[in-house]
C-alpha cells in the first residue's frame, strides 16, 4: 500500500474503510480493510489480488499478514495512526512500533497521528515517529451538542434497573444505546431485558466479528430496540437519529462520555 491507516478497533477500521471507498469512488484507488475475527484467507486474497493503494487495519491482524509475507510496507508514503491515545490505553504500541519499523524512514513518509487528547505520551510518540511535526489542535466548540438534553438520575444500585425499565417503557423508546463499563455488566443487563421481553443485543469484545456487524446493521435498521454496549466497543460508532443514549454506569474517562 501507499497509504496505511492503523486503528484500534474493528468497528473503526470498517467505518474508515467505508468512508475511504466513498471518497475514492471515482478514482482507481482500491481500499482493503484488514482486521481480526473475519475470514483470514479471504482478507489474504484481497491483499494479494488487488493493487491495495489504501490499507486500513488493526495492528494485530496486519502483523499476522506481514509475518507471512502477504503484505509489504516498504512503499508506504503516508502512515496514519488513528485514536493514538486509545492505542496507548489498549496496549497496542509495541505492535505499532513493529509496523512502523517496516515502513520507510520517517523522513521518507508523511506520518499523521489523530488523538482525542494530547497527552505527554502521545506527544512523545509523535516526536519519535515524525520529523518537525506540526500540531493542529481543534478545540471543541462545546463539550456536548446543544440539541442534547442531559439528565442525571441519582439512584441506588438496587433501583437502577427498575428506573431504566420504566424510562424505556413509559417514554416508549424505540432505539436506545445503553453503555456499561464492563463486559459482564452488559451480559447481566441484556439478560434482564430478555427476561422482561424487551428486544436487545450486546456489543462487546466477547461478540464475534460477524455477529457485531449484523447487530450494528440490525440496530441501524431498527430491528433491535436496545443495544447494550461497553465503552470500548462503542467508541467510533456512528448511528443517525438516536432516541436516547443511557450511561448505565458512567465511563471512567470523561473523553469517552
Amino acid at each position: 500500500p501507499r497509504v496505511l491507516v492503523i486503528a484500534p478497533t474493528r468497528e473503526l477500521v470498517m467505518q474508515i474503510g467505508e468512508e475511504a471507498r466513498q471518497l475514492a469512488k471515482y478514482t482507481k484507488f482500491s481500499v482493503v480493510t484488514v482486521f481480526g475475527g473475519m475470514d483470514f484467507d479471504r482478507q489474504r486474497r484481497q491483499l494479494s489480488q488487488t493493487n491495495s493503494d489504501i490499507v486500513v487495519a488493526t495492528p494485530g491482524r496486519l502483523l499476522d499478514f506481514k509475518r507471512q509475507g502477504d503484505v509489504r510496507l516498504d512503499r508506504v508514503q503516508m502512515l496514519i495512526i488513528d485514536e493514538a491515545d486509545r492505542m496507548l490505553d489498549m496496549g497496542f504500541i509495541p505492535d505499532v512500533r513493529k509496523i512502523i519499523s517496516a515502513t520507510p524512514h520517517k523522513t521518507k513518509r508523511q506520518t499523521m497521528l489523530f488523538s482525542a487528547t494530547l497527552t505527554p505520551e502521545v506527544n512523545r510518540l509523535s516526536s519519535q515517529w515524525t520529523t518537525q511535526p506540526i500540531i493542529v489542535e481543534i478545540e471543541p466548540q462545546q463539550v456536548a451538542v446543544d440539541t442534547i438534553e442531559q439528565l442525571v438520575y441519582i439512584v441506588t444500585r438496587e433501583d437502577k434497573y427498575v428506573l431504566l425499565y420504566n424510562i424505556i417503557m413509559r417514554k416508549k423508546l424505540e432505539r436506545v444505546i445503553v453503555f456499561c463499563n464492563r463486559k459482564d455488566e452488559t451480559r447481566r443487563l441484556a439478560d434482564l431485558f430478555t427476561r422482561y421481553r424487551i428486544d436487545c443485543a450486546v456489543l462487546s469484545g466477547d461478540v464475534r466479528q460477524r455477529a457485531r456487524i449484523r447487530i450494528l446493521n440490525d440496530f441501524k435498521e431498527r430491528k433491535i430496540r436496545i443495544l447494550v454496549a461497553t465503552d470500548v466497543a462503542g467508541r467510533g460508532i456512528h448511528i443517525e437519529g438516536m432516541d436516547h443514549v443511557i450511561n448505565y454506569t458512567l465511563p471512567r474517562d470523561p473523553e469517552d462520555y
Side-chain angles (χ1 to χ4, degrees):
R2 289 188 289 156
V3 177
L4 175 62
V5 185
I6 309 170
T9 66
R10 295 173 266 196
E11 282 75 25
L12 210 47
V13 165
M14 287 161 56
Q15 202 164 291
I16 293 166
E18 185 52 40
E19 294 291 331
R21 285 186 193 100
Q22 288 183 37
L23 289 166
K25 188 174 178 179
Y26 300 106
T27 71
K28 292 178 182 176
F29 298 146
S30 69
V31 180
V32 175
T33 50
V34 167
F35 48 88
M38 292 294 272
D39 191 321
F40 191 90
D41 290 328
R42 186 180 167 200
Q43 289 184 358
R44 173 189 277 157
R45 283 195 300 275
Q46 285 180 324
L47 277 172
S48 60
Q49 288 174 5
T50 58
N51 179 25
S52 318
D53 299 292
I54 302 165
V55 169
V56 188
T58 50
R61 180 53 66 96
L62 182 66
L63 277 178
D64 289 341
F65 284 124
K66 184 187 161 297
R67 285 188 201 103
Q68 297 196 23
D70 296 312
V71 65
R72 285 173 48 190
L73 303 176
D74 56 346
R75 293 186 185 177
V76 169
Q77 295 169 13
M78 184 181 288
L79 172 67
I80 298 162
I81 300 160
D82 196 21
E83 302 268 12
D85 53 338
R86 185 48 60 121
M87 290 279 196
L88 279 158
D89 293 345
M90 294 172 77
F92 280 131
I93 296 306
D95 283 352
V96 174
R97 285 188 199 283
K98 288 175 192 166
I99 291 164
I100 289 175
S101 67
T103 66
H105 188 263
K106 61 184 179 180
T107 55
K108 294 180 179 170
R109 63 165 199 262
Q110 182 178 12
T111 309
M112 290 191 262
L113 285 87
F114 289 87
S115 178
T117 51
L118 275 177
T119 60
E121 292 92 342
V122 171
N123 283 327
R124 191 164 65 248
L125 293 177
S126 71
S127 65
Q128 290 171 20
W129 296 337
T130 62
T131 54
Q132 299 176 314
I134 295 165
I135 294 174
V136 179
E137 196 164 357
I138 302 168
E139 284 292 333
Q141 290 178 346
Q142 56 237 30
V143 177
V145 227
D146 287 338
T147 53
I148 294 175
E149 182 186 10
Q150 299 185 72
L151 297 173
V152 180
Y153 292 92
I154 310 299
V155 64
T156 63
R157 187 177 301 218
E158 293 75 23
D159 292 334
K160 267 174 101 168
Y161 178 73
V162 179
L163 176 64
L164 179 60
Y165 176 85
N166 283 332
I167 289 169
I168 290 164
M169 298 310 284
R170 287 181 184 172
K171 290 180 182 286
K172 297 187 171 86
L173 304 184
E174 289 305 317
R175 194 154 57 150
V176 187
I177 293 188
V178 181
F179 281 118
C180 300
N181 269 336
R182 300 191 318 270
K183 290 184 278 191
D184 59 332
E185 200 171 42
T186 60
R187 287 194 299 271
R188 274 202 307 274
L189 198 52
D191 287 345
L192 282 168
F193 282 134
T194 306
R195 196 182 306 166
Y196 285 89
R197 296 181 182 177
I198 297 177
D199 185 32
C200 74
V202 170
L203 198 70
S204 73
D206 287 344
V207 180
R208 293 176 72 87
Q209 187 58 34
R210 285 185 190 280
R212 285 154 82 113
I213 296 167
R214 191 189 69 248
I215 288 165
L216 269 175
N217 286 337
D218 285 351
F219 186 65
K220 286 176 183 177
E221 292 169 13
R222 297 181 181 270
K223 292 177 185 173
I224 294 169
R225 187 175 181 184
I226 297 171
L227 186 62
V228 187
T230 52
D231 301 337
V232 172
R235 183 148 175 173
I237 291 174
H238 179 72
I239 296 164
E240 306 241 347
M242 287 295 306
D243 289 343
H244 280 60
V245 175
I246 297 171
N247 288 279
Y248 193 67
T249 43
L250 278 171
R252 294 186 182 91
D253 184 354
E255 287 291 336
D256 287 345
Y257 175 78

